[in-house]
Amino acid sequence: MSRLRRLLSTPEGMIGLAILIVLLLAGLSAPIISPGDPLRIAGRALLPPFTDPGFPLGTDRLGRDVLAGLIYGARTSLAVGLAAAFSAMILGVCVGMAAGFAGGIVDEALMRVVDAFQIMPGFLLALAFVSTIGVSTPVVVLAIALGAWADPARLTRAQVLAIREQDYVASARVIGMHPVEIAFREILPNALPPVLALSATIVAGAILTEAALSFLGLGNPNIATWGSMIAEGRSVLRSAAYLSVLPGAALAVTVLGVHLFSEGLGKVLGNDGGRAA
């Protein structure tokens, strides 16, 4: 049975994957569902949901289409979350591999750097970085990645320390295999599964961090984001609560989907690791 079939056989994996597929399809089809700029003024301001077929979810204070903001916000959240998680994973795996495989003073030096990044809360690091460098999507992605790479690095190091003592690694050394080849052919493939399971959690954290930065006005102002939509609805929360509730619900569902997918993926990879052992 393939990993995908085993993932779908778990309730968490099936529900989480279904949520993520719906969000991905909504984001990819955003230009078809709502052509044009989602930040443009499209109709009468503060139009309630389900009162106008042209604006199923209503409009905001400026007359912008809420549905357009939600589906374009899905693109932003998923793109930033995946890009930040990928960047954090690449950096973390590289540092963890170097520390675990080299050992000695290299290991000590790299782990002290990891400790320094783990001490500081990721959101505060991202907040300080964006405030200092400036607001743009690449800067936000880099800021989130800097706050998230330490956990993959520590987990990768722990996996490498355990795997490098295995018999097949010793055999590779005996036959004269180059250390770099041992690291990438023998150790890395076996160290990755637990780290990959962690990646879904990093995506969820990145989505929340991006939303928080946008809520504080530190997101890219030229694109639709759920955080900025929630912030926009604060001033009319009593009279038009849907402006904050709808993007807040979308954010919660997205994080729930990523979390459930992570749980299912962890079970699948854990079973693979158990059989391999």
Side-chain angles (χ1 to χ4, degrees):
M1 185 183 293
S2 67
R3 287 181 177 178
L4 178 59
R5 290 179 62 187
R6 281 185 279 124
L7 178 65
L8 293 176
S9 68
T10 64
E12 303 93 337
M14 182 177 61
I15 297 173
L17 185 61
I19 292 174
L20 294 179
I21 289 175
V22 170
L23 290 169
L24 182 62
L25 291 177
L28 292 176
S29 61
I32 300 174
I33 298 174
S34 180
D37 186 359
L39 300 179
R40 74 185 189 279
I41 297 175
R44 181 165 59 88
L46 294 178
L47 188 66
F50 312 118
T51 58
D52 187 333
F55 305 101
L57 298 182
T59 59
D60 65 5
R61 293 190 308 154
L62 300 178
R64 295 175 295 194
D65 189 357
V66 173
L67 176 60
L70 287 177
I71 57 178
Y72 277 92
R75 299 181 77 182
T76 302
S77 293
L78 291 176
V80 170
L82 292 173
F86 179 77
S87 303
M89 292 292 294
I90 292 295
L91 179 58
V93 168
C94 290
V95 172
M97 279 287 297
F101 195 73
I105 190 171
V106 174
D107 183 19
E108 286 294 325
L110 290 177
M111 283 301 100
R112 297 298 74 78
V113 175
V114 171
D115 290 341
F117 275 88
Q118 280 193 311
I119 290 172
M120 180 176 293
F123 176 70
L124 292 182
L125 179 61
L127 184 64
F129 190 84
V130 174
S131 300
T132 303
I133 303 299
V135 176
S136 68
T137 301
V139 171
V140 170
V141 170
L142 180 59
I144 296 172
L146 285 177
W149 70 273
D151 287 336
R154 188 170 291 280
L155 181 57
T156 301
R157 172 183 176 270
Q159 292 294 115
V160 171
L161 287 176
I163 293 172
R164 73 177 187 177
E165 303 301 328
Q166 298 295 320
D167 292 339
Y168 63 86
V169 176
S171 300
R173 292 195 185 98
V174 169
I175 64 175
M177 188 178 291
H178 194 277
V180 175
E181 190 177 3
I182 294 175
F184 285 95
R185 290 189 58 181
E186 303 295 335
I187 296 179
L188 183 60
N190 295 292
L192 273 183
V195 184
L196 291 178
L198 180 64
S199 65
T201 304
I202 296 176
V203 172
I207 291 173
L208 287 174
T209 301
E210 184 278 328
L213 291 173
S214 297
F215 181 83
L216 296 174
L218 294 175
N220 190 336
N222 299 315
I223 59 176
T225 64
W226 289 337
S228 61
M229 292 177 70
I230 296 172
E232 174 69 23
R234 283 182 303 172
S235 58
V236 290
L237 192 59
R238 291 181 180 273
S239 59
Y242 66 92
L243 293 179
S244 292
V245 170
L246 290 176
L251 182 62
V253 169
T254 301
V255 173
L256 176 63
V258 174
H259 174 72
L260 292 175
F261 179 78
S262 174
E263 290 289 322
L265 184 63
K267 289 183 178 181
V268 170
L269 296 178
N271 291 336
D272 286 350
R275 278 196 289 272

